[in-house]
């Protein structure tokens, strides 16, 4: 069955993360996802803290902007997390919001070129390879990790945030999974599955490619109005999402799974006052309904 997660949004102050993570862990949520938005809490620091505060929860970062980090440093940090918390970190990388990258002097002339070089190099370092790279953006001379992650059953997966056709194909080519932004429709998911498959085929890659999608969710009254407010915040005219009770949310999750999502992450609106209760709702009310519907539809 696809995994069910929830977002701890960056609009929360960092000191709230502990209670949210512990609530998610206690409720049995599959995954808690964090964002690294400029200029809020740091993704690696938040990911490490959430893992340390919990026992079983998988914690994802969606996503680390690659222009901000030297790839060798990213590999060191990701490897350390996987060795300290085996099987629990989920790492996503992306181009970053280009206006933010420009604010810190890190906007690349070719985000696609940077991402290709970065993702390929990061995956190789995490696999334990020793590399010398002379790319347009990534340069390494005889670099290998002293403490690479354990390679059982495989090196850690790297997920790529992608939206446009070129990025979606590239995600299939160089990453192990794709992360789709909140507001993605089932048709968007199907398109991502197809384009990632094209990229994998072109690269001669086989095996599964994971698809993670954020689903905006409103609990309580005025759902449509609150979704419109979030859409306006993100510069959109509308935002695909679900409002209502657990059954309505489970129906929305099922639609995304049917379209090809392997992980659906419930995203609270920016005005959600009680994220702790939101993650408990995702685990205790939505997850069982999704499990039941998937079981009922199994051959």
């Amino acid at each position: 069955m696809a995994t069910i997660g929830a977002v701890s949004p960056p609009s929360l102050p960092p000191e709230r993360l502990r209670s949210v993570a512990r609530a998610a862990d206690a409720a049995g949520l599959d995954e808690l996802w964090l964002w690294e938005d400029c200029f809020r809490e740091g993704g690696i620091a938040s990911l490490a803290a959430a893992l340390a505060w919990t026992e079983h929860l998988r914690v994802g970062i969606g996503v680390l902007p690659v222009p901000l980090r030297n790839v060798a440093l990213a590999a060191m940090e990701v490897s350390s997390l996987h060795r300290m918390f085996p099987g629990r970190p989920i790492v996503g990388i992306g181009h970053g919001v280009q206006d933010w990258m420009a604010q810190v002097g890190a906007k690349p002339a070719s985000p696609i070129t940077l991402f290709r070089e970065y993702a390929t190099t990061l995956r190789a370092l995490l696999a334990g390879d020793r590399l010398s790279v002379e790319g347009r953006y990534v340069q390494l001379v005889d670099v290998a990790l002293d403490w690479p992650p354990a390679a059982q059953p495989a090196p850690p997966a790297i997920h790529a945030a992608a939206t446009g056709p070129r990025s979606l194909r590239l995600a299939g080519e160089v990453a192990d999974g794709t992360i789709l932004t909140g507001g993605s429709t089932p048709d968007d998911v199907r398109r991502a599955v197809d384009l990632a498959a094209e990229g994998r085929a072109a690269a001669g890659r086989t095996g599964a490619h994971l698809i993670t999608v954020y689903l905006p969710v409103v609990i309580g009254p005025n759902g449509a109005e609150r979704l419109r407010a979030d859409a306006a915040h993100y510069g959109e005219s509308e935002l695909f999402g679900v409002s209502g009770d657990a059954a309505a949310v489970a129906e929305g999750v099922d639609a995304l799974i049917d379209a090809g999502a392997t992980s659906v992450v419930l995203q609270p609106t920016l005005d959600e006052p009680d994220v702790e209760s939101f993650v408990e709702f995702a685990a205790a009310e939505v997850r069982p309904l999704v499990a039941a519907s998937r079981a009922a539809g199994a051959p």
Side-chain angles (χ1 to χ4, degrees), residues 120-144:
T120 302
T121 302
L122 180 59
R123 292 180 69 246
L125 288 172
L126 293 174
D129 294 350
R130 180 174 295 277
L131 301 177
S132 291
V133 179
E134 295 184 9
R136 179 176 176 182
Y137 295 102
V138 175
Q139 291 93 33
L140 298 178
V141 178
D142 194 30
V143 173

Side-chain angles (χ1 to χ4, degrees), residues 188-270:
D188 293 330
V189 173
R190 282 185 279 269
R191 169 174 167 268
V193 169
D194 290 344
L195 289 169
E198 289 179 13
R200 291 180 72 75
R205 300 185 65 189
T206 59
H209 184 81
L210 304 172
I211 302 289
T212 298
V213 58
Y214 297 129
L215 174 63
V217 168
V218 177
I219 305 171
N222 304 318
E225 180 181 339
R226 293 168 67 186
L227 285 171
R228 283 195 297 270
D230 268 26
H233 174 82
Y234 296 120
E236 304 289 342
S237 59
E238 59 182 350
L239 189 67
F240 175 80
V242 180
S243 62
D245 60 10
V249 176
E251 184 177 344
V253 171
D254 273 328
L256 294 171
I257 295 173
D258 289 341
T262 56
S263 180
V264 179
V265 184
L266 308 189
Q267 175 182 316
T269 50
L270 294 170

Side-chain angles (χ1 to χ4, degrees), residues 32-36 43-44 47 58-67 69 74 78 81-82 88-96 115 118-119 122-123 126 156-162 171 175-180 210 212 214:
L32 181 70
W33 282 77
L34 315 174
W35 298 348
E36 184 175 70
I44 293 294
L47 180 56
R58 299 186 73 212
V59 185
I61 182 69
V63 294
L64 300 173
V66 299
R69 286 179 179 79
V78 171
L81 289 171
H82 276 280
R88 292 177 56 210
I90 311 168
V91 175
I93 59 175
H95 299 300
F115 193 87
Y118 197 103
L122 180 59
R123 292 180 69 246
L126 293 174
I158 295 296
H159 300 249
D176 305 293
T178 298
I179 300 172
L180 303 179
L210 304 172
T212 298
Y214 297 129

Side-chain angles (χ1 to χ4, degrees), residues 26-49:
L29 189 67
D30 294 327
E31 301 172 353
L32 181 70
W33 282 77
L34 315 174
W35 298 348
E36 184 175 70
D37 274 1
C38 295
F39 298 94
R40 292 170 167 166
E41 61 265 35
I44 293 294
S46 298
L47 180 56

